[in-house]
Structures are given as structure tokens and as C-alpha cells.
Amino acid sequence: MHRSTFSAVFFFAISVLALPSPQLTPDPAGNQNIGNGAGGQFIGGACLSSADCASTCCATLNGAGICSGIGAQFQAGKQGCGFGDRAFTPNPVVGDAPAAGGAGGAGEAGSQNVGKGDGSQFITGRCLSDADCASGCCANPIGACSAVAAAFESGKQGCGFVGTA
């Protein structure tokens, strides 16, 4: 190989390696699996707890949850498994009906605020409408209170979720 060609190839290879890597974000293709606790979410999809993930690992990434392979939970900016994990019962109920998104059972933090419509629910708490949330935003398709500015992040599709109690 000619010396100038080698130099050009070497410079190009070093330049490509120095490019910043794209920021990891959840894949919106699995939005139907967010928050249902059925273990159907694929690696790279958004999650509200490890119960959503087939891998059983909902890793924290930029303040949100993303399903991760165990062993990769600290790669690409992820901060380990356990995002949103707390005592979890698949398809728990609030009163006599399933809570929004299949989670939010009587033992879950904020469950007393689901469906009240008085703006008492905190961000990430379950909701049945925007009126439940202190932020005024019940995010689609998961039925969880969100900051308005983050209503389209981590697989969310904006405010205005409407569920039934």
C-alpha cells in the first residue's frame, strides 16, 4: 500500500473512532409492553419495572427505564437493573378493577391517588386521566404521570391517557 494511501486510511479510521456514539433511547416498537408487568418487553424497549422485561432487567437510563440484558445493564450510559422495581403483583387491582396499565395495586406507592382526578398523583405514579396528575399529564399509552416536557420520551406518546377504574 502506498504511504499516502495508508496515512489517509489510518486518519479516516481514527476519525470514525473519535465520533461521538449516538445516545441510546428506548425503541418505541414495544410500547404495548410498557407497564403491563407481563414480561413481554424486548431488550431496548421502555419499561416501568423489571416485571415488564423478558430479560427481567429494567435498567435506569437518563431517568427512565429501558429493558437490558443482564450483564449489559451498565453499558451505554445505563445505571443498572432495578428501575421502578418495588413490590410488584402482576395485574393488581385498585378497588374492584385493574389499575391503568395493569399496575398500581393497593400496595404500590401512590395507588390511593389513581382515578381521584384531584391532581394529587406524583410523576411516574399510575393515572387514569390528566386530572389525576400534579403535572397535568397522564402519558399514553402507559397511564403514568409524566412531566409535560418529557411526555414524548422513553416510548411515551404524549399526555391525555384515558383509562377506566
Side-chain angles (χ1 to χ4, degrees):
M1 182 183 292
H2 189 270
R3 187 179 217 46
S4 64
T5 304
F6 177 78
S7 295
V9 169
F10 180 76
F11 177 76
F12 176 76
I14 295 300
S15 298
V16 169
L17 292 174
L19 291 174
S21 58
Q23 185 169 347
L24 181 64
T25 57
D27 184 337
N31 284 348
Q32 72 279 5
N33 298 319
I34 301 170
N36 65 15
Q41 187 65 290
F42 52 85
I43 291 175
C47 52
L48 295 181
S49 76
S50 294
D52 290 345
C53 304
S55 66
T56 69
C57 175
C58 184
T60 302
L61 177 67
N62 300 322
I66 186 169
C67 290
S68 176
I70 296 175
Q73 72 267 29
F74 292 103
Q75 296 175 355
K78 293 179 281 183
Q79 298 172 334
C81 302
F83 177 85
D85 290 355
R86 46 194 134 171
F88 186 86
T89 306
N91 299 316
V93 295
V94 174
D96 292 327
E108 186 173 313
S111 62
Q112 73 278 7
N113 301 323
V114 178
K116 287 177 72 176
D118 64 358
S120 60
Q121 189 64 292
F122 54 86
I123 289 178
T124 71
R126 293 282 165 206
C127 53
L128 298 180
S129 72
D130 291 342
D132 286 349
C133 305
S135 64
C137 177
C138 186
N140 284 303
I142 57 177
C145 292
S146 172
V148 175
F152 289 95
E153 294 179 5
S154 302
K156 295 181 283 187
Q157 299 172 356
C159 305
F161 177 86
V162 177
T164 58

